Amino acid sequence: MSIKTKRLFQGDTVIWIVFFFLCMISLVEVFSAASSLSYGGGSYMQPLFKQAGFLALGTAVVWFFHSVPCRYFKIIPVLGYPISVLLLVLTIAMGATLNDGARWIDFLGIRFQPSEIAKGVLVITVALVLSFGQTEKGAATDVMKRILWLTGIVCGLIFPENFSTAVLLFGTILVMMFVGRVPLKQMGRLMACLIGLLLFVILMIKILPADVINNNKLLHRMDTWTERLTSHVESRDSMGVKEVLQENPQASHAKIAIASSNVFGKMPGNSEERDHLPQAFSDFIYAIIIEELGIVGAVFVVFLYVILLFRAGRIASRCERNFPAFLTMGLAVLLVMQAMMNVLVAVGLAPVTGQPLPLISRGGTSTLINCVYFGMILSVSRYARKVEKKPKTAELPAQIEEDEHAAEFQKDDGLQ
């Protein structure tokens, strides 16, 4: 990599490589999987151009945020958290309904999901709370209570219309609390309470009449969740192929796509199931990846997300301050957990959730927000790299003078 390129794309080189690989896979697979959009829109190239435009804008977003000193991200929770809560309330009250869920808000002709914004804001907020609550023995005893209040409000507002996102976000926060050294006794009591709450909810589903659930604003999608879970666990050995396809077309056609593949796949553009999968370019794009790129392509995509997680862990281990470390791990865990949820759904190991594959699935605001996460991780990697270069022992006078000059440069750059 040339010096000019290194100056333009600073931070962890591996993270940049992962980002560009995900973008390239997205362009190829969205173009291949979006045949239904091409037919409906009358333009074969439109899905490709639209996705390329979002990814180009996303690359600019990554570059901008990776240039911002990571200490400035502490400002985000101050305004971002209350705004996110307000947007989530508005979504419940007057959100646009799509796929049986009111998850969208229209603003100045732009449609976006406030839950996507709330996820990142909550992770940043929790990272800040964990960093302020650190002691020599770990997180202070009152840290969990603060985090649970902040998380409970956001997840509680997301839950009625987007159960999978609420579960994904809460799981991310649990991992962050574990990484943030929250006492294990507190974590154990929390897990016991969550299991008890889950059993209570299952009991209520069995006891309450269906009309009571359907007429309740908070539980009106309970039937959808129950149906997806039931259809996932029930055996269909006695049913015919036609009945199975009619009852659960998405999961069934995804399995057909996977089963018809091989080691190297059918090659890009040769998918047959893309015309039968309603969300081939979004929720089930991983099934199309397996069909076209085979086992090799499927493993490679998962490998990219695993590399992202491990590199984020390495960056976090280099940080001298708590906030950048917790922020990096939180954002990486959020991205990777969402990716793994999408993968498990596509291969039939989890019920349908509606979670897109980060940076690969077709998307607008969700793609840009994921790019913000990558930019923040890269910003922290720049900070960690400069910290790593600082001398740990006394040096000769000339070297001390040179180090003082470097420290002034870091100060001007906003990193101290």
Side-chain angles (χ1 to χ4, degrees):
M1 186 180 292
S2 65
I3 297 177
K4 291 183 178 180
T5 304
K6 286 184 178 180
R7 288 178 179 177
L8 184 62
F9 300 104
Q10 300 182 45
D12 191 89
T13 304
V14 177
I15 300 291
W16 275 113
I17 293 174
V18 169
F19 171 75
F20 284 119
F21 264 117
L22 291 174
C23 289
M24 287 188 291
I25 295 172
S26 176
L27 285 175
V28 173
E29 292 305 319
V30 168
F31 179 55
S32 176
S35 58
S36 59
L37 293 176
S38 302
Y39 298 146
S43 174
Y44 187 65
M45 301 297 293
Q46 182 181 3
L48 175 64
F49 290 151
K50 191 171 183 179
Q51 184 69 5
F54 277 119
L55 291 176
L57 180 59
T59 303
V61 169
V62 173
W63 184 88
F64 172 78
F65 276 90
H66 108 290
S67 303
V68 177
C70 58
R71 68 188 182 95
Y72 290 119
F73 298 147
K74 294 180 180 180
I75 303 173
I76 293 177
V78 178
L79 295 176
Y81 187 84
I83 291 175
S84 298
V85 171
L86 177 61
L87 289 174
L88 291 173
V89 172
L90 291 176
T91 304
I92 295 176
M94 50 186 292
T97 302
L98 186 65
N99 294 332
D100 196 35
R103 307 174 183 177
W104 305 80
I105 282 184
D106 295 318
F107 181 73
L108 298 177
I110 301 174
R111 175 169 288 190
F112 65 96
Q113 292 190 60
S115 59
E116 291 293 326
I117 299 175
K119 286 193 302 184
V121 170
L122 181 61
V123 168
I124 299 170
T125 304
V126 170
L128 190 60
V129 173
L130 284 171
S131 65
F132 284 141
Q134 291 298 304
T135 65
E136 292 183 359
K137 298 181 179 180
T141 54
D142 62 337
V143 167
M144 174 179 277
K145 184 184 297 184
R146 298 177 184 178
I147 292 176
L148 289 180
W149 272 110
L150 294 167
T151 306
I153 293 172
V154 172
C155 290
L157 292 172
I158 295 176
F159 170 81
E161 301 295 339
N162 201 339
F163 175 74
S164 61
T165 297
V167 172
L168 169 68
L169 183 55
F170 195 86
T172 301
I173 301 305
L174 285 178
V175 175
M176 289 185 68
M177 287 195 291
F178 178 77
V179 173
R181 303 191 302 167
V182 170
L184 294 179
K185 288 185 178 179
Q186 289 185 330
M187 295 288 291
R189 288 196 293 265
L190 175 61
M191 295 304 298
C193 291
L194 291 176
I195 294 174
L197 179 61
L198 177 62
L199 295 175
F200 175 76
V201 171
I202 295 174
L203 181 63
M204 288 296 100
I205 293 174
K206 297 293 184 181
I207 294 177
L208 291 176
D211 57 339
V212 174
I213 295 176
N214 293 333
N215 294 330
N216 190 301
K217 180 67 175 176
L218 297 178
L219 302 176
H220 72 101
R221 300 197 73 237
M222 187 68 73
D223 278 350
T224 303
W225 305 332
T226 305
E227 181 183 352
R228 287 179 177 178
L229 183 60
T230 303
S231 63
H232 176 71
V233 299
E234 284 184 351
S235 174
R236 295 180 177 79
D237 295 336
S238 60
M239 298 174 62
V241 175
K242 186 176 180 180
E243 293 174 310
V244 173
L245 290 175
Q246 289 177 347
E247 182 182 340
N248 197 352
Q250 289 183 320
S252 299
H253 282 291
K255 291 178 181 178
I256 294 174
I258 294 171
S260 63
S261 181
N262 51 48
V263 177
F264 297 103
K266 300 176 181 178
M267 296 292 107
N270 295 322
S271 171
E272 297 176 3
E273 294 304 315
R274 61 188 176 187
D275 297 326
H276 304 289
L277 271 169
Q279 297 294 326
F281 49 82
S282 180
D283 301 347
F284 284 89
I285 196 170
Y286 190 70
I288 305 301
I289 290 174
I290 298 176
E291 184 183 12
E292 295 189 342
L293 302 180
I295 298 175
V296 174
V299 172
F300 180 71
V301 169
V302 173
F303 185 60
L304 289 176
Y305 290 109
V306 173
I307 290 177
L308 172 63
L309 184 61
F310 275 94
R311 292 300 296 187
R314 186 173 181 182
I315 293 168
S317 66
R318 294 175 177 175
C319 295
E320 287 188 340
R321 301 178 186 274
N322 292 319
F323 174 70
F326 295 146
L327 174 64
T328 301
M329 287 306 302
L331 294 177
V333 168
L334 179 62
L335 287 167
V336 174
M337 283 187 66
Q338 181 174 329
M340 294 304 104
M341 186 177 290
N342 178 280
V343 168
L344 292 176
V345 170
V347 300
L349 295 179
V352 178
T353 59
Q355 292 295 326
L357 194 58
L359 277 186
I360 293 182
S361 294
R362 174 181 175 269
T365 53
S366 62
T367 297
L368 297 180
I369 291 172
N370 287 331
C371 289
V372 172
Y373 300 161
F374 268 87
M376 289 182 172
I377 293 172
L378 286 165
S379 173
V380 175
S381 72
R382 290 181 60 199
Y383 160 81
R385 180 171 295 182
K386 290 181 179 180
V387 166
E388 189 180 29
K389 291 180 179 179
K390 290 171 62 177
K392 296 182 180 180
T393 57
E395 304 289 348
L396 296 174
Q399 292 174 317
I400 294 176
E401 182 178 355
E402 182 178 351
D403 292 335
E404 289 177 350
H405 176 71
E408 286 296 320
F409 172 79
Q410 291 182 359
K411 185 176 181 180
D412 292 338
D413 198 29
L415 297 175
Q416 287 190 344

